[in-house]
Amino acid sequence: MSEHATVAVDTTAPLADVVPVRGPRWYAGRDATMVYILLAFLAYAALSIPRFASPVTTGFLLLDVVPTLLIAMPMTLIIVTGEIDLSVASIAGLSSAVLGVAWASGTGIWVSIFLALGAGLLAGIFNGVLVAYVGLPSLAVTIGTLALFRGLALVVIGDNAVANFPNEITALASAKLGTSGIPLVILPVVFVVLVFGLVLHHTAFGRGLYAMGYSKDAAHFVGINVGNSKFWLYVASGLVSAAAGVFWTLRYTSARSDNASGLELTVIAAVLLGGVSIFGGKGSIPGVLAGVLLIGSLNYALRLGRVSDVVLVTVTGLLLIASVIAPSVSAAVGRWRHSQRLRRHLARDQGAEPG
Amino acid sequence: MSTQATQTRPGPSGASRLGALLRLRELPVTVALVALVIVTAAVNPLFLSPQGMKDLMLNATIMMLLAAGQTMVIVTRNIDLSVGSILGLVAFGTGSIFAAVPTMPIWLVLLVGVGFGALLGSLNGLLTVWAKVPSLVITLGTLYVFRGVNNGWAGPRQFFAGDRPEAFGNLSVDTLLGVPIITVLALAVVIVLAVYLAGARSGRDLYAIGSDPEAARLFGINTSTRVFTAFLVNGALAGLAGVLYASRFNAVGATTGSGLELDVVAAAVVGGVAIFGGSGTVIGAAIGAILLNTITSSLTALRVDKFWQQAIVGVLIITAILIDRLASLRHAKHLREREGRNV
C-alpha cells in the first residue's frame, strides 16, 4: 500500500503526511482529473453554448449515454482484472432480437423482457466458462462470441424488425422525472452504477479483482478464487449488456439484429478514457463515470454547436490517445527538466571549482 | 536445458517428419478449408466452376492481405485495430486521385496508396513504441481518428466504378492462369512476407519479441525498431488492400471498410496465430482469411439459411482457439516428460 502511495505522492514529503492516503490522494489522482475535466467542460459548455444548459439537454444527453454507461460498469471490472469482453454489443443485439421475436409471437411484454435478459445471462455464462474454466484468452474468445452472438441474433430475428411494442412500455423508456428533464430510466442505471461501485471498491471480492489484475498467480496464492471471480464478471457483463439491449429496443421502438453494433469499442474507449489501465490492476468507477459522461456531453455539445456528426468520432479517438500518452509525455518532460537542472547544477559546480 | 533438447533432437526421419507435420499450426485450418471445399463441391458442382473459383479468390483477396499484415503485428504481441479505417481512407483517396487525374498511371496510384497506408501505420507504430502504451488502446484511438478524417474528407460524397479508368477496374476482372490479377498481387505479397518472417533475421526477431519482450531486449534486439517496422508494414498492406478494394468494389465513401478490424483479427486467430504473440504464420492467417470468406459462399451454395452464416463463423473461431489450447497443453506435457527423462 505504502509503496503505491509513494509512487503517486511527492517522495520528499514526510511519511506522516502520506499514510492517510485515502482522501487527499484521490483528489490528485488520475480519476479525479477526469472528474475535473468533465466539470470544467460542463461549465464551459453551459456558459458558452446556447441552449446547452436546459432540461432538454439533460434528457437527451442522459438517454444517449445509458447503454454505454450500463455496459461500462461490468467492463470496468473485467478490464481491472486484466481481461476484456468484446462481445457486449452482440449480446445487446441478441437480447434485442429475443425481445422482438418473443413479443411478436404473442408473449407478454414482461415475460419477453425476462427472456431477453435470460439470453444475455446464458451468453455471459458461455463467455465465462470459456475464459474462466477452460482458460482461453479472453480477447480471442470474445472476438469469437462477438460473431457468434450477433449471428444468433440474425438466426432469431433474420432481417425483420419488430416495432409494435406497447406504448406504455416504450414511453417508460423515455419518460422524464417531472420537469427536471432527467429520464426515469436513470434511477435503475444509478442503482447499477452504485452496485458495481460498491462491489469494486468496498468488498473483498473487489480488492481481489485488483490483485488479479496485477498478478493472477499472486492472487491465486493469497487465496483468491481467480476462476470463479472471472466467471461471475462475465455473467454480470452478459446480464447488464442484455439490459442495455432491452433499453435500446424500447427507446428506439425497434428490435433488430444489428442494434447496438459497434458499441463494444465505444464502451471500451470510454472505460480507458476514465483511467482504467488495459493491463489491469488500475481504475475506478468514478473515473469511468466521468469518462462516459465526458464523451457523451462532448458529442452532444459539438452537435449543438453544429459540428457535423461525422467529425465526432475523431474527438473520441483523440481524447483516448491523449489520455493514454499524457502520462508518458509528462514523464518525458519531467526527465528533461531533471537533466536540465542536473546539468545547470554541474555547470555551476565546475564553474566554482577553478575560482 | 532447452538448447540441449534441440541438439539431441533426432534427424528428420519419416516418423518425426509426420509428427512435425501434425504439429503444424496451419494444419487444422487447412484441413477445415479442404473439407469445406470438398463437401460443398460434392453437393453443388457449380461451386468449383471457373467462375465460382474466381469469385472465391476475389472475395478473399482483401482479407488475405489484411490478415497477413495483422499477423506481423500480432506476432510481436501487439494488435492493430485501425486497419479498417486505414483501408477506408486509402480507398477513398484512390477514388479521389482518379476523379482528379483520370490519366494517372495505375502503378503510381498503387505506390501512393501503399505509401499513404505506410504513413498511417507508422503513426500507430510511433505512438505505440514511443509512449509505451498498449497498441490495443492506441489503435482503438486511431481507428476513430482515421475514420473521422475519412468522414470529414468524404462527407456524403462517393466515388463509383464509373469514375475510375477501365484498366483499373479490370485488375479484378482479368485473370492470369485463371487467377484474378489482384489475387496474384496479394499472393505474391503474402509469400514474400512469409519468407521474410520465416527466414530473415529481423523476421525471426519479431517472434522473439512476441514470446518475451524483456528477454528479446536483453538479447540485444532493437525491439522499438522492430515493432515500429511491423506497424509500418501492416499499414502499407492495408494501404495496398485499400487500392485493391477501390478496384474490386463499385462504391467507396465515408464508411468503406468500417468494422473490418475484428474480422481480420478473427481470420488470423482461425489461421493459428496466437493472440498473445510469439507464434503463427502469415500463410496460416491467409488460409484463415480464405476459410472465413469461403464459408459464406459455400453456405450459400449448400443452401443453408444465410442467417446462420455469422453464427457458424463464431463457432469456427472458438473451435480454432480451443484446438490451439489443446495442442499447446499437449506440447507442454510432452516437453515436461522429455525433461523428466533427461534428468
Side-chain angles (χ1 to χ4, degrees), chain A residues 324-347:
Chain A
V324 290
I325 68 170
S328 303
V329 173
S330 72
V333 169
R335 267 201 309 279
W336 182 77
R337 281 177 51 187
H338 180 76
S339 70
Q340 287 288 310
R341 217 169 29 235
L342 214 63
R343 211 163 289 152
R344 240 181 292 134
H345 206 72
L346 284 174

Side-chain angles (χ1 to χ4, degrees), chain B residues 27-113:
Chain B
L27 188 70
V29 65
T30 315
V31 170
L33 180 60
V34 170
L36 180 73
V37 171
I38 290 176
V39 169
T40 317
V43 176
N44 187 343
L46 276 181
F47 189 64
L48 284 185
S49 67
Q51 186 57 41
M53 287 292 284
K54 198 178 145 194
D55 286 341
L56 280 186
M57 288 188 272
L58 274 177
N59 290 338
T61 299
I62 284 159
M63 195 55 93
M64 209 159 72
L65 274 176
L66 293 175
Q70 189 70 248
T71 302
M72 226 179 132
V73 174
I74 295 183
V75 156
T76 67
R77 205 181 275 191
N78 281 293
I79 197 165
D80 188 347
L81 293 178
S82 68
V83 285
S85 304
I86 295 181
L87 179 140
L89 260 178
V90 174
F92 190 77
T94 307
S96 314
I97 290 177
F98 279 127
V101 192
T103 54
M104 190 81 127
I106 291 170
W107 61 267
L108 189 59
V109 174
L110 275 170
L111 216 59
V112 169

Side-chain angles (χ1 to χ4, degrees), chain A residues 134 136-137 139-140 143-144 146-148 150-151 154-155 159 265-266 272 278-279 310 313-314 317-318 320 324-325 328, chain B residues 130-131 133-134 136-137 140-142 144-145 148 151 262 265 275-276 306-308 310-311 314-315 317-318 321-322 325:
Chain A
V134 185
L136 303 178
L139 182 63
I143 285 181
L146 168 102
L148 175 63
R150 186 66 70 184
L154 264 168
V155 171
D159 44 14
L265 295 185
T266 317
L272 298 178
I278 190 80
F279 293 127
V310 294
V313 288
T314 321
L318 286 177
L320 183 60
V324 290
I325 68 170
S328 303
Chain B
W130 176 72
V133 171
L136 180 76
V137 187
L140 180 56
T142 50
Y144 287 118
V145 174
N151 283 337
L262 294 181
V265 177
I275 196 86
F276 289 125
K306 66 175 177 177
F307 299 127
W308 277 96
Q310 203 172 3
V315 170
I317 297 170
I318 295 166
I321 311 163
L322 270 172
R325 172 79 178 161

Side-chain angles (χ1 to χ4, degrees), chain A residues 74-90:
Chain A
M75 187 68 87
T76 303
L77 272 58
I78 287 177
I79 297 183
V80 160
T81 66
E83 303 288 341
I84 202 161
D85 186 353
L86 292 173
S87 68
V88 285
S90 297

Side-chain angles (χ1 to χ4, degrees), chain B residues 111-162:
Chain B
L111 216 59
V112 169
V114 171
F116 189 22
L119 185 76
L120 298 173
S122 64
L123 195 66
N124 285 330
L126 213 60
L127 283 170
T128 307
V129 168
W130 176 72
K132 297 195 173 52
V133 171
S135 47
L136 180 76
V137 187
I138 289 290
T139 56
L140 180 56
T142 50
L143 175 152
Y144 287 118
V145 174
F146 295 162
R147 180 60 61 194
V149 171
N150 195 359
N151 283 337
W153 183 15
R157 269 186 306 161
Q158 281 195 320
F159 292 112
F160 295 98

Side-chain angles (χ1 to χ4, degrees), chain A:
Chain A
M1 194 70 214
S2 64
E3 193 187 306
H4 295 303
T6 47
V7 170
V9 176
D10 180 9
T11 44
T12 56
L15 199 61
D17 293 346
V18 182
V19 176
V21 284
R22 177 127 205 122
R25 191 177 60 145
W26 194 87
Y27 292 108
R30 172 75 171 68
D31 310 326
T33 314
M34 278 315 295
V35 177
Y36 300 147
I37 294 177
L38 173 67
L39 291 177
F41 176 75
L42 286 179
Y44 166 79
L47 290 177
S48 67
I49 300 173
R51 299 188 309 280
F52 186 82
S54 72
V56 181
T57 298
T58 332
F60 275 108
L61 202 160
L62 289 176
L63 276 180
D64 280 349
V65 299
V66 162
T68 316
L69 189 55
L70 275 177
I71 301 175
M73 292 301 117
M75 187 68 87
T76 303
L77 272 58
I78 287 177
I79 297 183
V80 160
T81 66
E83 303 288 341
I84 202 161
D85 186 353
L86 292 173
S87 68
V88 285
S90 297
I91 296 179
L94 178 59
S95 90
S96 175
V98 169
L99 173 60
V101 167
W103 168 249
S105 65
T107 320
I109 187 69
W110 292 109
V111 179
S112 304
I113 290 176
F114 185 76
L115 287 175
L117 294 179
L121 198 68
L122 286 178
I125 290 174
F126 188 72
N127 277 334
V129 166
L130 286 180
V131 173
Y133 299 133
V134 185
L136 303 178
S138 57
L139 182 63
V141 166
T142 54
I143 285 181
T145 50
L146 168 102
L148 175 63
F149 298 149
R150 186 66 70 184
L152 289 179
L154 264 168
V155 171
V156 169
I157 199 167
D159 44 14
N160 307 321
V162 176
N164 59 339
F165 293 103
N167 273 335
E168 56 272 24
I169 294 284
T170 54
L172 204 61
S174 42
K176 304 283 154 52
L177 281 173
T179 55
S180 61
I182 296 174
L184 190 63
V185 66
I186 279 299
L187 292 178
V189 172
V190 166
F191 175 72
V192 170
V193 171
L194 280 178
V195 167
F196 277 93
L198 286 175
V199 166
L200 182 61
H201 296 300
H202 294 283
T203 63
F205 178 82
R207 293 309 306 167
L209 301 183
Y210 286 101
M212 286 162 61
Y214 275 115
S215 163
K216 299 243 178 335
D217 293 331
H220 176 71
F221 283 129
V222 298
I224 294 165
N225 192 331
V226 174
N228 278 354
S229 307
K230 279 198 225 165
F231 175 76
W232 287 113
L233 289 186
Y234 279 94
V235 172
S237 178
L239 189 61
V240 172
S241 304
V246 169
F247 169 76
W248 189 292
T249 311
L250 296 179
R251 179 178 177 213
Y252 299 108
T253 335
S254 169
R256 298 164 46 90
S257 64
D258 63 348
N259 269 354
S261 69
L263 191 67
E264 64 276 348
L265 295 185
T266 317
V267 171
I268 293 169
V271 168
L272 298 178
L273 181 64
V276 180
S277 161
I278 190 80
F279 293 127
K282 280 197 202 82
S284 76
I285 293 290
V288 169
L289 196 60
V292 173
L293 290 177
L294 182 64
I295 289 189
S297 51
L298 202 59
N299 280 352
Y300 191 82
L302 287 174
R303 227 174 281 154
L304 269 187
R306 293 188 194 286
V307 174
S308 97
D309 251 14
V310 294
V311 188
L312 297 181
V313 288
T314 321
V315 176
T316 310
L318 286 177
L319 266 179
L320 183 60
I321 294 174
S323 75
V324 290
I325 68 170
S328 303
V329 173
S330 72
V333 169
R335 267 201 309 279
W336 182 77
R337 281 177 51 187
H338 180 76
S339 70
Q340 287 288 310
R341 217 169 29 235
L342 214 63
R343 211 163 289 152
R344 240 181 292 134
H345 206 72
L346 284 174
R348 207 173 48 223
D349 284 357
Q350 275 171 357
E353 249 172 62

